[in-house]
Amino acid sequence: MMNLPPEIIEIIFLKLCSSKTVFPLQRDEPRLLVTQICSRWRAIALAIPSLWANIRVSLDSESRLLLDPICAWISRSAQSPLSFGMRNPTHSYGSSTKLDDLVFSVIQRCASLKLCIDEWTRVRLFTLPPGSLHALQKISISTRPVSYRSGPNEIPPATAFQQCPHLRQVKFAFWGDELDPADFNLPWHQLTHLHMPSCSLREYECLQVLQQCILLQECSIYIFPTRLDNLQRIQALSACPIVLPFLHTLHLELVRDHSVHFVRALRLPRLCNLCAISRTNWPRALLPLFQTLLSETLRRLNLSEWTPTDLPSALALVPNLETLELRNSGPEVLRTLSGSSAVPRLVYLRVGTVDSRDLFDMLEVRMAAAHAGSSMAVLSYVSAVRSGVGDIMVDTTRLAALKAAGVQVVFRNR
């Protein structure tokens, strides 16, 4: 090993130290270990800037002892693009900390940012001059929930993203009032990943944004109810279909039935993964809302807080579905599945709180149909949560018969 050329040792170090450096440092940190073997290895490691450019800070308090190693890592990274993650230490809102200042001093070099910060720091970041994030390719920002009067009263529109030619992936998780995505001033036309799981976004504004996201591949959004005065505008906007030709993963959180206009406006010819979470108990029918999204390209369907009465009819539109996840959907959904001949060729089934007897009934009906020459395939993996204390005992005979047939059934507690 000592006689290997420096180029080979460099490749080995990069493979060994591929993960982020997490501060505070641990004794088994690979970058520390390789610099303590011998002077030759230390010199080789210090001459690789990219080896020191992947940093994640997770601190409970600030001190000179902890900040000095971070500064040393940044110094060793030279001019290599930085990947920086930070969970802001607890401090009073509005205070300028040394760690914040350290991040902003190198932010022009950051290709990837993942920050958990307060509202004041977010405003400071978003209002940086245009061009400050020129090297940025990926950003993830989450803010801690703030109490009344703990954040700024008025948040100005963002200027930091106006000149970000390399930005492709964005994730914002902001807690608080509803937001207008237009205020972010993001380069929507070049984004491939857009995730806003905790941001309250109006349907009208979301449709306007998605019209510009022609390269989008993955999307997660939380749709907030549209005000009645905007309902006519969203109906007019949804009359023109929004085509996203590259989108393969969509995660929707829906609040009210006004979202039907939003969903029906989408045309997703390559959609493979669909996750729909209903924040209320509406509706019980899938087809009126998702008929335009259910197609032969769909491979995975995740429904949470739904009790659909037309699930077999909806699944009949998805002949190539492989994974079905039903969370908190109730036992009646399983009974509907067990009596249906339209269930597609599932490989993986995950259900929420159920009675194990209903699950066994559904699986055995599928087994019998498969042995009778039906086009249905026997599931290879099933995961379920047992429903309550009274269902702790599982029929081991039925379970053993299913396992012998190649079906792996896993029961989980809450």
Side-chain angles (χ1 to χ4, degrees):
M1 184 71 176
M2 294 298 181
N3 297 324
L4 288 176
E7 295 80 4
I8 302 299
I9 296 179
E10 179 178 342
I11 294 175
I12 295 174
F13 284 177
L14 290 173
K15 292 289 185 181
L16 177 65
C17 307
S18 58
S19 60
K20 294 179 181 291
T21 300
V22 180
F23 292 89
L25 291 173
Q26 303 298 318
R27 291 183 178 180
D28 58 351
E29 165 57 41
R31 294 163 183 82
L32 287 180
L33 297 179
V34 299
T35 58
Q36 296 172 356
I37 301 299
C38 65
S39 59
R40 181 170 181 258
W41 280 25
R42 178 177 176 84
I44 294 175
L46 294 179
I48 310 174
S50 59
L51 194 68
W52 311 92
N54 205 343
I55 301 171
R56 181 174 180 180
V57 183
S58 181
L59 302 176
D60 295 326
S61 61
E62 291 182 279
S63 68
R64 182 185 179 90
L65 179 64
L66 293 175
L67 288 177
D68 284 348
I70 301 174
C71 294
W73 248 248
I74 294 175
S75 176
R76 293 172 183 176
S77 67
Q79 294 303 314
S80 181
L82 287 175
S83 175
F84 202 102
M86 180 184 73
R87 178 173 291 276
N88 214 13
T90 303
H91 57 79
S92 60
Y93 291 104
S95 64
S96 178
T97 68
K98 293 182 180 180
L99 184 57
D100 290 339
D101 293 337
L102 178 63
V103 174
F104 282 95
S105 68
V106 297
I107 205 165
Q108 291 185 345
R109 292 174 46 200
C110 289
S112 174
L113 273 176
K114 184 176 182 180
L115 307 177
C116 178
I117 51 182
D118 59 57
E119 281 291 313
W120 292 99
T121 309
R122 177 171 77 87
V123 172
R124 180 183 176 186
L125 172 65
F126 278 35
T127 53
L128 287 172
S132 300
L133 304 175
H134 186 272
L136 194 63
Q137 302 174 18
K138 179 179 179 181
I139 185 170
S140 174
I141 304 293
S142 60
T143 58
R144 294 190 297 267
V146 296
S147 59
Y148 183 65
R149 279 188 269 177
S150 62
N153 294 328
E154 293 186 6
I155 300 179
T159 56
F161 307 110
Q162 291 182 5
Q163 296 179 21
C164 294
H166 309 292
L167 185 60
R168 297 293 183 270
Q169 302 185 30
V170 172
K171 180 178 180 180
F172 291 157
F174 302 151
W175 301 85
D177 297 332
E178 62 184 77
L179 302 170
D180 185 352
D183 291 338
F184 300 148
N185 289 320
L186 287 164
W188 306 106
H189 65 281
Q190 64 189 42
L191 296 184
T192 60
H193 296 68
L194 177 62
H195 300 284
M196 297 185 177
S198 302
C199 303
S200 300
L201 305 177
R202 298 286 182 181
E203 296 145 295
Y204 180 74
E205 288 82 1
C206 284
L207 285 176
Q208 287 183 315
V209 165
L210 290 179
Q211 279 184 327
Q212 307 173 59
C213 298
I214 57 175
L215 299 180
L216 211 57
Q217 299 176 16
E218 295 185 11
C219 182
S220 302
I221 47 180
Y222 174 34
I223 304 299
F224 204 69
T226 297
R227 295 185 295 269
L228 292 179
D229 57 344
N230 283 338
L231 189 56
Q232 291 184 347
R233 291 200 298 171
I234 191 175
Q235 289 174 345
L237 192 60
S238 62
C240 300
I242 298 176
V243 181
L244 301 176
F246 306 108
L247 190 74
H248 58 75
T249 299
L250 178 62
H251 184 117
L252 290 175
E253 295 186 49
L254 310 172
V255 177
R256 290 185 182 175
D257 52 357
H258 291 167
S259 300
V260 67
H261 301 291
F262 173 84
V263 177
R264 286 179 178 177
L266 301 179
R267 297 295 183 271
L268 313 176
R270 295 188 180 181
L271 185 65
C272 296
N273 307 305
L274 174 61
C275 176
I277 301 176
S278 175
R279 292 304 180 189
T280 58
N281 57 1
W282 75 268
R284 290 184 172 269
L286 290 172
L287 287 178
L289 185 61
F290 294 111
Q291 189 165 5
T292 57
L293 301 184
L294 299 175
S295 66
E296 59 184 13
T297 63
L298 203 63
R299 297 292 186 273
R300 179 173 181 175
L301 179 61
N302 186 332
L303 301 174
S304 182
E305 307 292 342
W306 292 73
T307 55
T309 57
D310 60 345
L311 183 59
S313 301
L315 295 181
L317 301 177
V318 196
N320 297 318
L321 192 69
E322 298 175 354
T323 298
L324 176 62
E325 299 189 34
L326 303 171
R327 299 170 183 261
N328 302 324
S329 298
E332 62 272 12
V333 175
L334 278 182
R335 300 190 188 105
T336 303
L337 284 177
S338 63
S340 171
S341 60
V343 180
R345 302 175 65 87
L346 293 179
V347 175
Y348 180 96
L349 173 67
R350 181 175 181 179
V351 292
T353 305
V354 296
D355 190 303
S356 63
R357 291 169 296 182
D358 294 323
L359 182 62
F360 282 138
D361 290 343
M362 189 273 289
L363 293 176
E364 289 171 353
V365 168
R366 285 179 55 86
M367 292 274 295
H371 290 312
S374 170
S375 61
M376 291 190 298
V378 178
L379 287 161
S380 61
Y381 186 85
V382 180
S383 176
V385 177
R386 290 181 292 211
S387 58
V389 179
D391 193 38
I392 295 298
M393 297 300 296
V394 176
D395 191 330
T396 56
T397 303
R398 301 179 77 181
L399 183 62
L402 288 171
K403 289 186 176 181
V407 182
Q408 182 182 357
V409 184
V410 177
F411 286 97
R412 301 173 291 109
N413 291 317
R414 283 191 177 278

